Amino acid sequence: MAVHLSFLLILTGLTGIHSITTVSRVSVKAGGSISIPCLYDSRYVNHVKYLCKGSTWSHCTFAVRTDQSNSKKFSIADDKTQRTFTVTVNDLRDEGYYWCAVEINEGRDIREYFHLSVTRGTPSLTVDHQEITGFKGHHITINCYYSNRGEMKWCRLGRSCVTTSSGSIDGTRVTINASGPNVFTVTMSGLKTESSGWYQCVKGDLQMPVHVTVQSTTNTSNTLSPTPEPLNLTSVFAEATPTVQGEQHSVSVNRTGTIIRLSLLIFVVMVTLFIWFMFKRHKQNKAESSATTMVEEEVTEMHIRKTSDEVEVKDEDVLAQQQQNL
């Protein structure tokens, strides 16, 4: 038994079995782009990585290498920390087989192939974005759209999968919900920094790779660097907003509270100003009323005095007339 196991280990080392892990089949729309992750063994961190195109290994040709410049059609980036190199194929027109490969200077290169299926219509399995960003302790949601048959799964590249409605991957809780026709939603809750990496939506024999980046702080910057060397991905971050729903909810609550407090302050100021205006108006009316009363009293008094003076004058005239008659 020990001899058989040793032979198997030697055979694995020679043939490169399990030395590279990647997707097996991906559906892409014609004219579109796709990024494919290739996970390799830690022994090959400093080796040259490349993408080879061809239906068989013996007839494949170099497409792009890490020791050469990228082209408009093909690009490659090696993340030595995550032990993953990512190849991007742009402007896809024809389907075919490709090979993720690591160059071995004194031996047979290790490789693993994948098939790109190109369709003129909607791909059989796709996602909103190939890259999504979340924050530590929060959750992210990925929608996987499909038109093919088969079991639905959410897997971490080279590790475990969740095949039921709920489970966990590396301590992060995962729930799968068939939220609508031809779509299932994956939610990763309680994100950790080590949750960053490549995952796959899986439906039947198709996979769609998704790169997850977890930030330790709620930084609002859109410039994110999940790897030492930039990933030339063709997708954009999930804005921040359906992808980081917990953070958006917090911002919304804070904004609502601020609006309520500001509205109350404006209401109090308006009521205070109204009361002050009414009080001032009342004092003004009272002063005007007092002034009017005083004027009326003065006029009345003058009228009485005038009347009295006229009576006295008349009395004097009558008395003088009487004296003359005598």
Side-chain angles (χ1 to χ4, degrees), residues 25 39 101 193 203 210 213 242 270 318:
R25 182 167 174 252
L39 179 67
T193 305
K203 188 70 167 67
V210 177
T213 301
M270 291 180 65
V318 170

Coordinates of all heavy atoms in Angstrom, one line a residue, residues 25 39 101 193 203 210 213 242 270 318:
R25 N -15.2 24.9 -18.1 CA -15.9 25.4 -19.3 C -16.6 26.7 -18.9 O -17.3 26.8 -17.9 CB -16.9 24.4 -19.8 CG -17.7 24.8 -21.0 CD -18.4 23.6 -21.6 NE -19.3 24.0 -22.7 CZ -20.6 24.1 -22.6 NH1 -21.2 23.7 -21.5 NH2 -21.4 24.4 -23.7
L39 N -4.9 28.7 -10.5 CA -4.3 28.5 -9.2 C -3.2 27.5 -9.4 O -3.4 26.4 -9.9 CB -5.3 28.1 -8.2 CG -4.8 27.8 -6.8 CD1 -4.4 29.1 -6.1 CD2 -6.0 27.1 -6.0
A101 N -0.6 27.3 -18.1 CA 0.6 26.5 -18.0 C 1.7 27.2 -17.2 O 1.8 28.4 -17.1 CB 1.1 26.2 -19.4
T193 N -10.9 39.1 6.0 CA -9.9 39.5 5.1 C -9.4 38.4 4.3 O -9.1 38.5 3.1 CB -8.7 40.1 5.9 OG1 -9.1 41.2 6.7 CG2 -7.6 40.7 4.9
K203 N -23.2 26.0 -12.5 CA -24.5 25.5 -12.9 C -24.2 24.4 -14.0 O -23.8 24.7 -15.1 CB -25.4 26.6 -13.5 CG -26.8 26.1 -13.7 CD -27.5 25.9 -12.4 CE -29.0 25.8 -12.5 NZ -29.4 24.5 -13.2
V210 N -15.5 34.5 -10.3 CA -15.8 35.8 -9.7 C -14.7 36.1 -8.6 O -14.4 35.3 -7.8 CB -17.2 35.9 -9.0 CG1 -17.4 37.2 -8.3 CG2 -18.3 35.6 -9.9
T213 N -12.8 40.8 -3.3 CA -11.9 41.5 -2.5 C -12.5 42.0 -1.2 O -13.6 42.7 -1.3 CB -11.3 42.7 -3.3 OG1 -10.7 42.3 -4.5 CG2 -10.3 43.5 -2.5
P242 N -25.0 48.0 -4.8 CA -25.8 46.8 -4.4 C -24.9 45.8 -3.8 O -25.3 44.8 -3.2 CB -26.4 46.3 -5.6 CG -25.5 46.9 -6.7 CD -24.9 48.2 -6.1
M270 N -38.8 78.4 13.0 CA -40.0 79.1 12.4 C -41.0 79.4 13.4 O -41.6 80.5 13.4 CB -40.6 78.2 11.3 CG -39.7 78.0 10.1 SD -40.4 77.0 8.8 CE -41.8 77.9 8.4
V318 N -74.3 139.2 27.1 CA -75.7 139.4 27.6 C -75.7 140.4 28.8 O -76.6 141.3 28.9 CB -76.3 138.1 28.0 CG1 -77.6 138.3 28.8 CG2 -76.5 137.2 26.8

